[in-house]
Each structure stands twice: as C-alpha cells, then as structure tokens.
Amino acid sequence: MSTLNKTYPSVAVRVALLKKLKTQIKKQEKEICEALAKDLGKPTFESMLTETQFVLAELRHTIKHLRGWAVPKRIPGSMLNFPAKEYIYQHPYGRVLIFAPWNYPFQLTLAPLIGAVAAGNSVVLKPSEMAPNTGAVIKDILTKVFDIKFVTVIEGGPLLAKELLKQQWDYIFYTGSTAIGKEIYQAAAKNLTPVTLELGGKSPCIVHESASLKVAAKRIAWGKFVNTGQTCVAPDFVLVHESVKQQFTQYLISAIKDLYGENPEENTDYGKIINKKHFQRLIGYLEGTKISHGGTSNETSLYIAPTVVDNPSLQSAVMSEEIFGPILPIISYTYEKDLDTILKKYEHSLALYVFANNKEFTNAIIENYAFGGGCINDTLVHLVNNQLPFGGIGNSGIGKYHGKYSFDTFSHSKAIVKRSKLENPLRYAPYKKKTKLIKLLYRFIN
C-alpha cells in the first residue's frame, strides 16, 4: 500500500458529503424559504421552484453519476505510442473560491459548490451580503455538513472580496455583474488562476409575426417578472414585428394581470426589489419613457409594479444597461435587417429567446448570433435540464456548469499514457529511411 499522503477526499467521501448536504437542505427547506422571503419577498412556491428544489435536483443528479464521472476514461490509443494504454484522469484543482450573487442567493451559491465538492476541491464560499438572511441559513447548513477544511463560509462585503482576491487560489468561480467580473478576471490573471465568470447582459426576446402571440405573451411575462425581474437570464427587452406589436402588447398586459392581479403590490406571489439602491436605479430607467402598463412604485416596501415600456430609444438609459428588474421595453421592428442591427448592438447576451412558428427564421437566429443559451417559444427553461450546459460568452461570461459540466469545470483533465516494456523503435535515431513511414502513420493515427 502506498505511503503517500492523500491530499484530496475520495469519491466515496464526496458522495457521502453530498448526501449529507441533501438531507440537511431537506430538513431546513422551510427555513431557507423564510429567509428568501425576508431578503427578496419570494413566495414559497417560487423559492422551491427556482431555489431549493433546483438545488436538490442538482444534488440527486450529481450523487447518482459522480462515481462514473470520476473513473479514469480510457481512450483509443495512438499508433505512435503502441503498445500502450491511454487515459484521461480527472483531478481536483485544489483551493476554490466561490463568489455568490444576491438574486438567487441559495441556488446560485449551492449549485457551483456542489460541482466543486464533487470534483474533490476544498472551497471558500462568500455569499452575497445583500441577502443576509439567506446567507446566514447557508452558513448554518454548510457548517453542519462540512468540516472547515473542506468548505468554509465567509460573510462580508466588497472589502472582504478584495482581500480574498489578494490570496492565491487554484480556481475562482464568480456570478454577478460584468463590471465586477472584469475585476475578478484581472485579479485572477496575476496568478494565472483559471476562472468561471457567470455574468449577464441585455438578453433579447424576439416575437416574429408567425408567433402564437397569446402563448408568447404569457411565457414572456412569467420569464420576465418571476423573482421581480431580478434574473440574469430574464428577457431584458422584446423585439416585436410591427404587424403584431399592438396585439402582442395587449396580450402581455392581460398575462401580467392574470399572473399578479390588478394590484400586484398586494399579491403575495410578487416579490420586492433587493434594496433601495437598486430600487432608485430602476425608477431612474422610467424617466422620460412611455409607459404602457404599470409604472407605480413604493420605496418603503421596495415595490415596483410589473411595467411595460413602449418603444424606448436605443440610446435611453433603460436600453443602455441590463435592467435586472420588473421593467420590460417593447420595441417594434419592420425588417430583418433592423432586427440584425439591434441584435448586434447587444451581442453576446447570456440568453436569447425567439417566439416564432417559422423554422427557417428560428434556425437563422440560433446559427447567426452568439449568446449563452436560450429557448424557442419559451423563456428561462433551458436552465432546468442539468444535462445542458449553462454559461455565457464574451461579456456575458466565461465557462459553463450544471450537472457533469460542473464536475468538469472544477476538474483538471490529466492525459496519461501507460506504456509496456515492448518498444517501438520508430521515434529513435537514426532517422534515415523513416520519413515516408512517419507521414503515413500520421495520416491514420486519429
């Protein structure tokens, strides 16, 4: 038996820890939902749908498949190495730093943690200080499940984050704004630390003239206003063909009323803005705009009604930054070249949604534009399948996760060739008369 020290937890230990985490989340699910209600005004159903049950599903999937993911994968060998056996080994990076956001403070904290632990890393986790109640519950849960040498939860604000970034890490995972993501990237570059950056951007939603308008309106309203619009992949604005814009807008307003009633402020299914800073930012977006629906607010309760803005200028404040709140601009387009101009202005979004019953049109959008992920004739639901990768491109992020993609993200793939005593003399000098043979071999090795 080897006397070498084993630095990383075995797969069996990782599985046991993840099972323990699953059990503890189930025990404290009510407490988690209560914390989410305090921080974001989330109804219990929404907290379960988008936070606790999402995480539990991720845990079940990871626990079920982890042993298979972690087994060294034998791959076809190269003739140049013959005779040999060739493998890919998955190895933990080591010390991982995870920065979590405030908008889905449970899901977006635990989901990357699951991947990091599954891959065998130790983790220092900083929950968002802007969702303190949820952060406290997370710390309580993780302290009960993990030894401090595996997972450490550190609470604090931007100053703590800066101090953490001064340390050397083996991997950094950040979810949040593009501006802060760039700062994270710069700090990581000093030590050549690999990163995953889950960022945002203005995710467009296109409604083609062939779309089923009533269905589109309902699904867009849900995708936009769930979590009070504070979702990184929410439709940020809607591009509607001018021939159906008026009818679509009417359906959209009706869908909002169906979801939240005539007075959403009194509806317990509708949440609140995270804090006064973000409330004032969102109210500022409404200045000078034409409001088709909503627009009412209450700073005391951090309430902003589901709001529809009609044809704002592309140079306006509401179209210059990611909204991240319950304000939905509706912009008409006439020709596909107009659509192309707007989409290129907001390229590399985290998500893109298309509502159309024209396959040629939808295929052209998917193939011609770069974005993180999206849906045809729906919104948000591409996040549900843990066999699909989630991540951005360009300004919307670097890297991907969910399911096995999380395990792969937090693992270094080591290429290993195991040779026998049998020798292949081709590679050795003298090289005379071997030129034609090596050319021939390279034609067939892969």
Side-chain angles (χ1 to χ4, degrees):
M1 182 179 291
S2 173
T3 58
L4 292 174
N5 290 328
K6 192 164 187 177
T7 310
Y8 304 102
S10 67
V11 173
V13 169
R14 300 176 214 171
V15 170
L17 287 170
L18 293 174
K19 286 181 176 179
K20 189 176 179 182
L21 176 59
K22 182 180 72 170
T23 299
Q24 196 61 42
I25 290 172
K26 287 181 176 180
K27 286 181 180 178
Q28 294 186 240
E29 185 172 26
K30 182 180 179 181
E31 190 178 346
I32 297 164
C33 291
E34 289 171 351
L36 290 165
K38 291 176 183 177
D39 288 331
L40 286 152
K42 289 194 181 189
T44 298
F45 177 83
E46 192 173 297
S47 293
M48 295 176 69
L49 175 70
T50 64
E51 304 253 17
T52 58
Q53 290 298 315
F54 186 102
V55 169
L56 288 170
E58 187 80 2
L59 275 166
R60 284 191 293 269
H61 183 76
T62 303
I63 291 166
K64 180 179 179 180
H65 296 286
L66 179 53
R67 289 181 176 86
W69 296 342
V71 170
K73 304 297 187 299
R74 187 171 177 181
I75 62 169
S78 168
M79 290 181 66
L80 291 175
N81 290 334
F82 181 83
K85 295 179 181 179
E86 303 179 24
Y87 298 86
I88 297 174
Y89 279 69
Q90 300 294 350
H91 193 269
Y93 275 101
R95 295 176 68 242
V96 171
L97 174 63
I98 296 177
F99 289 112
W102 54 263
N103 60 320
Y104 287 87
F106 189 76
Q107 182 216 129
L108 295 179
T109 303
L110 271 291
L113 173 75
I114 291 166
V117 170
N121 301 280
S122 62
V123 180
V124 171
L125 175 68
K126 194 192 94 61
S128 173
E129 72 281 4
M130 292 166 63
N133 295 287
T134 309
V137 177
I138 288 171
K139 186 171 185 177
D140 179 51
I141 290 171
L142 297 184
T143 300
K144 291 173 180 174
V145 173
F146 296 100
D147 187 289
I148 195 170
K149 68 182 180 182
F150 286 150
V151 176
T152 303
V153 180
I154 301 180
E155 296 176 289
L159 291 178
L160 171 63
K162 289 181 179 180
E163 289 301 313
L164 288 171
L165 286 172
K166 291 178 182 178
Q167 300 180 31
Q168 185 164 354
W169 303 92
D170 298 307
Y171 203 97
I172 298 175
F173 190 105
Y174 168 79
T175 304
S177 71
T178 300
I180 301 300
K182 290 179 179 179
E183 294 181 17
I184 300 285
Y185 205 12
Q186 289 175 341
K190 293 177 182 178
N191 293 309
L192 298 178
T193 303
V195 300
T196 292
L197 302 176
E198 295 296 341
L199 309 177
K202 295 186 74 64
S203 297
C205 182
I206 304 164
V207 179
H208 189 255
E209 62 263 41
S210 68
S212 301
L213 297 180
K214 194 170 185 179
V215 172
K218 183 176 183 179
R219 293 176 182 177
I220 291 169
W222 174 79
K224 176 62 180 182
F225 299 112
V226 69
N227 200 33
T228 327
Q230 298 167 122
T231 303
C232 58
V233 290
D236 198 84
F237 60 98
V238 182
L239 298 169
V240 189
H241 193 272
E242 64 172 5
S243 65
V244 295
K245 177 176 176 290
Q246 184 176 356
Q247 188 178 10
F248 169 78
T249 303
Q250 292 173 350
Y251 281 136
L252 179 66
I253 293 170
S254 294
I256 293 170
K257 291 178 180 179
D258 289 343
L259 289 171
Y260 304 112
E262 294 289 343
N263 187 1
E265 187 173 10
E266 296 179 357
N267 193 321
T268 57
D269 289 338
Y270 188 71
K272 65 177 183 176
I273 306 306
I274 185 69
N275 58 29
K276 287 189 176 182
K277 178 182 176 182
H278 283 275
F279 175 91
Q280 291 165 355
R281 174 183 63 83
L282 291 165
I283 293 299
Y285 287 152
L286 296 177
E287 294 179 5
T289 63
K290 180 182 178 182
I291 296 174
S292 300
H293 179 76
T296 58
S297 62
N298 184 336
E299 186 170 357
T300 301
S301 60
L302 297 176
Y303 163 79
I304 298 177
T307 299
V308 179
V309 174
D310 184 53
N311 266 330
S313 165
L314 297 184
Q315 284 69 49
S316 63
V318 76
M319 291 303 297
S320 298
E321 301 173 354
E322 183 180 7
I323 296 169
F324 223 72
I327 300 169
L328 184 60
I330 307 296
I331 299 172
S332 60
Y333 74 93
T334 304
Y335 304 107
E336 289 187 14
K337 65 179 182 180
D338 303 326
L339 192 62
D340 182 68
T341 299
I342 297 172
L343 291 177
K344 285 181 177 176
K345 177 179 173 63
Y346 303 108
E347 64 180 352
H348 294 156
S349 59
L350 184 55
L352 186 147
Y353 306 108
V354 183
F355 287 82
N357 292 317
N358 182 318
K359 289 185 179 180
E360 183 179 354
F361 178 80
T362 58
N363 288 338
I365 295 293
I366 293 171
E367 293 170 5
N368 293 334
Y369 297 97
F371 54 93
C375 306
I376 305 299
N377 293 323
D378 211 338
T379 60
L380 274 59
V381 296
H382 59 296
L383 277 69
V384 173
N385 187 343
N386 49 29
Q387 297 188 63
L388 289 174
F390 176 72
I393 181 174
N395 281 336
S396 62
I398 298 169
K400 55 189 176 297
Y401 74 122
H402 286 180
K404 186 177 185 296
Y405 296 99
S406 295
F407 176 82
D408 291 341
T409 286
F410 290 105
S411 300
H412 167 62
S413 297
K414 295 193 293 190
I416 303 295
V417 176
K418 297 182 179 182
R419 294 293 309 276
S420 70
K421 292 181 180 180
L422 295 176
E423 191 58 275
N424 183 346
L426 178 63
R427 63 180 176 176
Y428 299 109
Y431 301 129
K432 189 177 180 180
K433 297 182 180 181
K434 293 181 179 180
T435 304
K436 289 184 179 179
L437 182 56
I438 197 65
K439 286 183 178 180
L440 183 63
L441 281 173
Y442 264 109
R443 289 181 61 186
F444 297 103
I445 59 175
N446 292 312

